[in-house]
């Protein structure tokens, strides 16, 4: 056989092995294989599967040292294996395995597994997996998975999954998942999930979910959910922080602009204060804590002012009848005074006493304390320069920051 024919045969065999490995669902030895199962060898060198120092006994040999010039198909490793392209082991691997493209192990891995493209382990993995694209494990993981794109574990994870795009575990996770896009657990979370876009847990959550867009827990949350837009929990016993918070039932705290649950109320308040003669606020949440969206305007020919902002509040019952309540609230608003050039930020604490006139209507009034940071020193024609007159004894806190005591009074419906 000429050298050229040998090269073509080796290349054809290599491509076949890679294709079969990438699509295989399992690797097991045939029951009639008698090629030296469980042979312990000090080491082996192979060019491609079938061409190496262990010859036909390679699939049943466990090697302390294994070097595959292109790739190898061996029984197992109890030491160190290096393959410039790929490593295939039908049984277990211990200590370290490194491949330029992929590692495929039919048993368990204990130690380090590093591949340029992907690692695949049919049984358990203990220690560390590093892959340029994907790590796949058919059993439980105790340790760390790091992949440029994707990690998937068919059973439990006790440790960490870190990836550029997605992490999936089909059992409970104790530890942490970190990804650029998407985390998913089909069982429970006892630890932390961090995702650039979405976290999903089908079981109970004890720990923290943090996401750029959405955090979802389809059972109980006894911890914290933080999302840039929306949080969902079937049963909230902890804290949700997001623009929109949804819970099928709650004994915890939802902190956001819109909070939705069977225990939530939805109210609209129309009121006046020392700054503006017309204000409207939408409040949603529970008496434990609720979110506020608000806007205001001072309708006047020469002293106009507009505002918009958000805040949080809490309701305390005053007496058993619940006819009277005390509602302390904290809000932050931007004040528009005819131009967007200047910074006019108002932070306000108010404590309103509500008197219920019926099931859906209450009136309220109370004191307020305001802190204004403004770098505007020239009035715009037709607009106020400062929210209040000197009658309110405005005092200076520091440069561009003033404060005063004021009031609120209005009516709430629903």
């Amino acid at each position: 056989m000429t050298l050229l024919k040998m090269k073509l045969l080796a290349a054809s065999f290599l491509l076949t092995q890679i294709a079969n490995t990438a699509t295989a669902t399992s690797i097991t030895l045939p029951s009639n294989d008698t090629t030296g199962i469980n042979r312990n060898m000090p080491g082996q060198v192979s060019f491609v599967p079938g061409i190496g120092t262990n010859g036909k006994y390679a699939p049943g040999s466990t090697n302390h040292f294994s070097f595959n010039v292109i790739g190898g198909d061996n029984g197992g490793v109890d030491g160190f294996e290096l393959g410039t392209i790929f490593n295939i082991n039908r049984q277990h691997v211990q200590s370290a395995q490194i491949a330029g493209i992929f590692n495929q192990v039919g048993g368990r891995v204990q130690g380090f597994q590093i591949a340029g493209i992907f690692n695949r382990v049919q049984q358990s993995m203990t220690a560390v997996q590093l892959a340029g694209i994907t790590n796949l494990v058919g059993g439980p993981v105790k340790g760390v998975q790091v992949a440029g794109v994707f990690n998937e574990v068919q059973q439990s994870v006790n440790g960490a999954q870190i990836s550029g795009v997605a992490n999936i575990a089909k059992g409970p996770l104790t530890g942490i998942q970190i990804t650029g896009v998407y985390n998913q657990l089909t069982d429970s979370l006892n630890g932390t999930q961090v995702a650039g876009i979405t976290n999903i847990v089908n079981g109970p959550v004890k720990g923290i979910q943090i996401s750029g867009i959405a955090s979802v827990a389809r059972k109980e949350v006894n911890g914290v959910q933080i999302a840039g837009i929306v949080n969902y929990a079937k049963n909230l016993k902890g804290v949700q922080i997001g623009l929109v918070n949804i819970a099928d039932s709650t004994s915890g705290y939802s902190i956001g602009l819109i909070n939705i649950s069977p225990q939530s109320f939805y109210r609209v308040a129309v009121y006046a204060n020392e700054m503006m003669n017309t204000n409207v606020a939408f409040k949603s949440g529970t008496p434990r804590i609720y979110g506020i969206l608000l806007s205001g305007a001072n309708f006047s020919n020469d002293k106009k002012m507009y505002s918009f902002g958000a805040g949080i509040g809490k309701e305390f019952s005053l007496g058993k009848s619940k006819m009277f309540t005390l509602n302390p609230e904290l809000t932050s608003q931007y004040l528009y005074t005819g131009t967007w050039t200047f910074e006019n930020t108002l932070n306000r604490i108010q404590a309103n006493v509500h008197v219920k006139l019926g099931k859906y209507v209450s009136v309220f009034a109370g004191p307020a304390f305001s802190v204004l940071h403004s770098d505007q020193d020239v009035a715009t024609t037709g607009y106020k320069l400062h929210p209040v007159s000197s009658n309110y004894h405005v005092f200076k806190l520091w440069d561009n920051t003033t404060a005063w005591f004021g009031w609120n009074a209005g009516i709430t419906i629903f």
Side-chain angles (χ1 to χ4, degrees):
M1 183 180 293
T2 65
L3 180 60
L4 177 59
K5 287 183 178 181
M6 289 180 64
K7 290 182 178 179
L8 291 173
L9 178 62
S12 176
F13 190 86
L14 172 61
L15 292 172
T16 301
Q17 288 292 326
I18 293 174
N20 290 339
T21 301
T23 58
T25 58
S26 65
I27 290 183
T28 57
L29 287 173
S31 59
N32 61 352
D33 193 329
T34 59
T35 57
I37 296 176
N38 294 328
R39 292 173 75 243
N40 291 312
M41 302 294 292
Q44 74 87 35
V45 176
S46 66
F47 183 69
V48 292
I51 302 177
T53 57
N54 284 338
K56 66 178 182 179
Y57 299 104
S61 300
T62 296
N63 305 288
H64 294 294
F65 171 80
S66 177
F67 175 58
N68 302 303
V69 177
I70 292 179
D73 181 1
N74 298 295
V77 175
D78 187 5
F80 176 75
E81 182 171 48
L82 173 65
T84 59
I85 304 297
F86 66 90
N87 298 309
I88 298 174
N89 286 274
R90 303 191 179 201
Q91 299 176 49
H92 310 308
V93 170
Q94 294 188 119
S95 294
Q97 188 180 52
I98 301 173
I101 301 296
F102 71 85
N103 291 305
Q104 171 84 43
V105 178
R108 66 178 179 271
V109 172
Q110 293 177 295
F112 287 87
Q113 196 177 46
I114 303 172
I117 302 297
F118 74 88
N119 293 305
R120 183 166 187 168
V121 178
Q122 295 295 115
Q123 297 181 21
S124 63
M125 195 285 292
T126 302
V128 178
Q129 273 188 323
L130 303 175
I133 295 181
T134 301
N135 291 309
L136 304 172
V137 179
V141 168
K142 292 183 179 180
V144 178
Q145 287 184 309
V146 181
V149 178
F150 178 70
N151 291 309
E152 181 175 345
V153 177
Q154 295 296 315
Q155 296 184 29
S156 63
V157 175
N158 193 331
Q161 288 185 306
I162 303 169
S163 69
V165 176
N167 294 310
I168 294 176
K170 298 185 178 180
L173 182 141
T174 301
I176 188 169
Q177 283 184 317
I178 302 174
T179 187
V181 179
Y182 177 77
N183 287 315
Q184 180 177 337
L185 293 175
T186 58
D187 208 305
S188 62
L189 168 66
N190 191 345
T192 303
Q193 279 187 320
V194 180
I197 294 182
T198 302
N199 292 310
I200 295 178
V201 178
N202 289 343
V205 172
K206 291 184 179 179
I208 302 174
Q209 290 182 300
I210 302 172
S211 67
I213 302 295
S215 290
V216 176
R218 294 197 170 103
K219 291 188 178 179
E220 177 182 298
V221 172
N222 199 333
V224 179
Q225 287 184 311
I226 302 173
I229 296 181
V230 61
N231 292 303
Y232 168 78
K234 184 175 181 62
N235 182 10
L236 178 65
K237 293 185 176 180
V239 178
Q240 292 177 317
I241 302 173
L243 293 178
V244 179
N245 298 302
I246 304 170
D248 291 347
S249 64
T250 179
S251 58
Y253 296 88
S254 296
I255 303 172
L257 299 183
I258 300 175
N259 304 294
I260 302 171
S261 76
Q263 293 80 24
S264 294
F265 59 69
Y266 309 97
R267 299 172 182 168
V268 176
V270 180
Y271 60 99
N273 56 34
E274 78 280 6
M275 299 178 298
M276 286 169 280
N277 51 35
T278 305
N279 297 272
V280 178
F282 172 73
K283 304 178 182 183
S284 66
T286 68
R288 287 185 297 275
I289 192 165
Y290 55 86
I292 306 169
L293 283 172
L294 58 92
S295 63
N298 193 63
F299 294 105
S300 171
N301 291 331
D302 58 351
K303 293 183 179 180
K304 294 189 292 291
M305 178 173 284
Y306 303 96
S307 75
F308 59 89
I312 57 174
K314 183 175 177 62
E315 182 173 282
F316 297 94
S317 294
L318 302 177
K320 294 182 179 180
S321 68
K322 297 185 179 180
M323 180 177 178
F324 300 94
T325 64
L326 175 65
N327 292 58
E329 296 176 343
L330 174 65
T331 63
S332 182
Q333 306 168 62
Y334 179 82
L335 304 182
Y336 177 76
T337 57
T339 176
W340 298 103
T341 304
F342 301 102
E343 180 182 354
N344 293 301
T345 304
L346 177 73
N347 296 301
R348 186 173 173 90
I349 300 173
Q350 53 204 33
N352 296 316
V353 175
H354 287 246
V355 181
K356 293 186 178 179
L357 303 180
K359 187 176 181 179
Y360 299 108
V361 179
S362 66
V363 294
F364 66 89
F369 178 71
S370 297
V371 177
L372 173 68
H373 179 79
S374 174
D375 57 3
Q376 184 174 358
D377 55 6
V378 178
T380 303
T381 302
Y383 288 83
K384 286 185 177 183
L385 176 61
H386 195 276
V388 296
S389 67
S390 58
N391 295 333
Y392 284 91
H393 305 292
V394 177
F395 55 94
K396 184 176 181 179
L397 294 179
W398 50 82
D399 288 347
N400 298 327
T401 303
T402 56
W404 66 92
F405 290 93
W407 54 271
N408 294 285
I411 185 170
T412 296
I413 58 175
F414 305 115

